[in-house]
Amino acid sequence: MGKSDAVIIGAGPSGLYLARELSKVMNITIFEEDKMLGVPPHCTGLVNINSLETLGISPPIVSTYRYIRITDLGGNSITFDFRRGAIAMLDRPGLEHYLADELGSATLLLGERVIELGNGVIRTKSREETFNLAVIAEGAGLTLTRNVIPWNPNYVYGVQTDTKSFAENKLMPRSDDEIVVIFDRKLLEHYFAWIVPKGSHEFRIGLADEANVWAKFTELLKVINAEHLKPFGGKIVIGGSPDHVAAGNVAVIGDAGGFVKPMTGGGIIMGMLSARLLADSMINALRERLSISDSLVIYDTVFRRYVRERIKALSSASYILHMMMNKSLGEVLQSMSGTRIDVEDYDNHIDAILKAALRRPWSFIRRFSPLLMNYR
Ligand SMILES: Cc1cc2nc3c(=O)[nH]c(=O)nc-3n(C[C@H](O)[C@H](O)[C@H](O)COP(=O)(O)OP(=O)(O)OC[C@H]3O[C@@H](n4cnc5c(N)ncnc54)[C@H](O)[C@@H]3O)c2cc1C
């Protein structure tokens, strides 16, 4: 039986970032069920470039973008201009490889699915290891998380593919630095679709919704005349938040702990920030000669005091906005069509949309006040 100070389950961005930080002060083993890092690449990889600086990392970037155009199928649209905070598409497997190259003394075990976690022992089919600290970074599946911290997030299902299109209709990006986001109930009931240019008529095209995503995705590819290559995707956590992110000597980070932006389900940056919060709590506690369980109390308290309420508030705001968009987005896009709005931070979508709303306060309030009254 092996022994580690800390074991981390999952080598996605959250688990790898945590290992990179914690390996400076303790002996770490990371268990990853897949045999290769970052595959299948299930994520679009869009983040705010400034957030990478905050995290002190510079992973490989596929492309950068200045505009997001939100449109319906008829081409009525609003454009957000992110002049000061450019958006980057990360090379997702590249992000994992970049972080893995910075692991220092940590040991990464690929092809090792954790099947049991408890009483200071972790088990895969072929290994057993004892630990003082376990961190679950298993992503949106929550298989192990549910046994430690029971909670039920809201999900949508996302699918996407990298493909070519030569279509020249109103839905296609007008330049290589414009991302198109489609909200239209004729295509999707609750969520949205995206078309992200990669240059030379190549696009990353995807959508997310509560049900029937494969049929809707086929429809989308037809509308923009794109080749139907093998799609990939998965569950996207879009809201809710557990009451705690630590119990005993086990902590949860990333998607598994609900660290996502509820408006879009984006969790790359939030996941790494949760890892940073946990690592800082551990490193400072160890410096003060506190125990591992004390440092987890610090992590949990900071989460409960500063993060949880914000995520909950953003989830509610996001729910209302999506509900509004579902009910009368067509009218809103028509009334605001052609509007262009400057935005500073891609990672703060709700502020961006409220800023748009404030441009036309009366039409916005008239349309949405009945919905707001009915919202519980
Ligand atoms: C279609 C789609 C598009 C997305 N687009 C974006 C986007 O543009 N921007 C953004 O910020 N986010 C996006 N996301 C969300 C983003 O992918 C996640 O928020 C992010 O990957 C969370 O990182 P994580 O490390 O917490 O979990 P993950 O990246 O899911 O990593 C978890 C890892 O744990 C491993 N694992 C799970 N269970 C076990 C086990 N029992 N034993 C061992 N290993 C295990 C998994 O194999 C995986 O490698 C998208 C998601 C989808 C599905």
Side-chain angles (χ1 to χ4, degrees):
M1 190 183 288
K3 182 172 171 37
S4 298
D5 291 336
V7 294
I8 298 174
I9 299 131
S14 312
L16 288 169
Y17 189 86
L18 179 71
R20 170 190 189 261
E21 298 299 298
L22 274 189
S23 62
K24 294 167 193 160
V25 292
M26 44 171 82
N27 155 331
I28 309 273
T29 305
I30 314 158
F31 294 80
E32 168 54 50
E33 65 184 355
D34 287 329
K35 291 200 172 98
M36 282 161 73
L37 275 183
V39 288
H42 63 270
C43 156
T44 318
L46 296 175
V47 298
N48 183 355
I49 282 182
N50 294 340
S51 307
L52 299 174
E53 266 174 51
T54 310
L55 287 159
I57 55 172
S58 43
I61 288 173
V62 179
S63 284
T64 57
Y65 307 92
R66 173 168 168 173
Y67 305 104
I68 293 187
R69 181 161 55 92
I70 295 187
T71 184
D72 62 14
L73 290 173
N76 297 303
S77 65
I78 310 169
T79 302
F80 294 87
D81 182 346
F82 293 81
R83 253 183 300 192
R84 270 159 288 183
I87 304 159
M89 181 198 276
L90 298 181
D91 166 0
R92 254 313 288 267
L95 168 65
E96 271 92 331
H97 285 281
Y98 167 88
L99 293 170
D101 283 345
E102 304 217 327
L103 285 182
S105 62
T107 306
L108 172 60
L109 301 174
L110 294 174
E112 293 282 352
R113 178 177 171 71
V114 174
I115 49 179
E116 207 181 320
L117 176 72
N119 291 333
V121 180
I122 190 168
R123 281 193 188 84
T124 70
K125 253 187 180 170
S126 59
R127 298 176 75 99
E128 264 188 18
E129 192 126 346
T130 60
F131 61 82
N132 297 321
L133 164 71
V135 181
I136 305 178
E138 65 178 344
L142 301 196
T143 319
L144 298 165
T145 306
R146 284 217 176 87
N147 296 329
V148 183
I149 291 161
W151 75 288
N152 285 312
N154 303 324
Y155 290 113
V156 287
Y157 296 88
V159 280
Q160 65 175 6
T161 193
D162 285 340
T163 184
K164 277 192 179 265
S165 169
F166 294 90
E168 286 186 4
N169 62 36
K170 289 174 184 166
L171 297 180
M172 297 311 285
R174 293 173 294 202
S175 61
D176 276 350
D177 62 354
E178 182 182 83
I179 294 168
V180 169
V181 174
I182 305 167
F183 274 94
D184 198 312
R185 289 193 83 198
K186 287 189 226 92
L187 181 68
L188 293 140
E189 279 133 76
H190 298 284
Y191 230 55
F192 56 84
W194 54 92
I195 304 174
V196 189
K198 294 175 70 190
S200 311
H201 298 283
E202 280 192 26
F203 300 91
R204 182 160 292 181
I205 296 169
L207 60 75
D209 212 350
E210 283 175 5
N212 303 326
V213 284
W214 298 102
K216 291 168 187 169
F217 189 60
T218 306
E219 187 57 35
L220 172 64
L221 292 177
K222 231 189 268 164
V223 171
I224 58 169
N225 210 4
E227 206 185 336
H228 200 323
L229 300 177
K230 190 172 179 276
F232 45 87
K235 269 182 175 177
I236 307 179
V237 177
I238 55 157
S241 188
D243 286 339
H244 294 274
V245 285
N249 59 351
V250 182
V252 183
I253 58 171
D255 273 14
F259 291 91
V260 297
K261 294 182 292 180
M263 186 71 195
T264 60
I268 300 173
I269 298 296
M270 290 277 281
M272 288 192 279
L273 285 173
S274 68
R276 168 92 155 255
L277 180 61
L278 176 59
D280 285 353
S281 308
M282 299 292 309
I283 291 167
N284 285 316
L286 293 177
R287 203 173 286 145
E288 300 294 326
R289 298 186 184 284
L290 297 174
S291 66
I292 281 181
S293 53
D294 285 341
S295 61
L296 290 191
V297 171
I298 296 172
Y299 170 60
D300 196 42
T301 307
V302 173
F303 165 76
R304 283 172 67 79
R305 191 162 297 169
Y306 301 108
V307 184
R308 185 164 156 258
E309 291 313 312
R310 172 109 178 113
I311 292 180
K312 277 193 165 173
L314 286 175
S315 295
S316 303
S318 161
Y319 179 81
I320 294 170
L321 282 168
H322 277 288
M323 201 167 64
M324 290 168 174
M325 288 176 166
N326 291 333
K327 293 260 178 202
S328 42
L329 184 72
E331 288 168 58
V332 173
L333 286 176
Q334 266 170 35
S335 81
M336 296 182 73
S337 195
T339 306
R340 202 165 174 136
I341 294 134
D342 289 349
V343 187
E344 283 172 34
D345 184 356
Y346 165 70
D347 281 330
N348 199 343
H349 299 74
I350 303 249
D351 286 359
I353 289 166
L354 289 175
K355 200 168 174 184
L358 290 174
R359 281 282 188 87
R360 305 277 165 94
W362 289 113
S363 66
F364 189 83
I365 290 164
R366 255 206 325 270
R367 257 175 250 289
F368 294 138
S369 54
L371 278 171
L372 288 169
M373 300 291 185
N374 291 334
Y375 176 69
R376 302 271 181 276

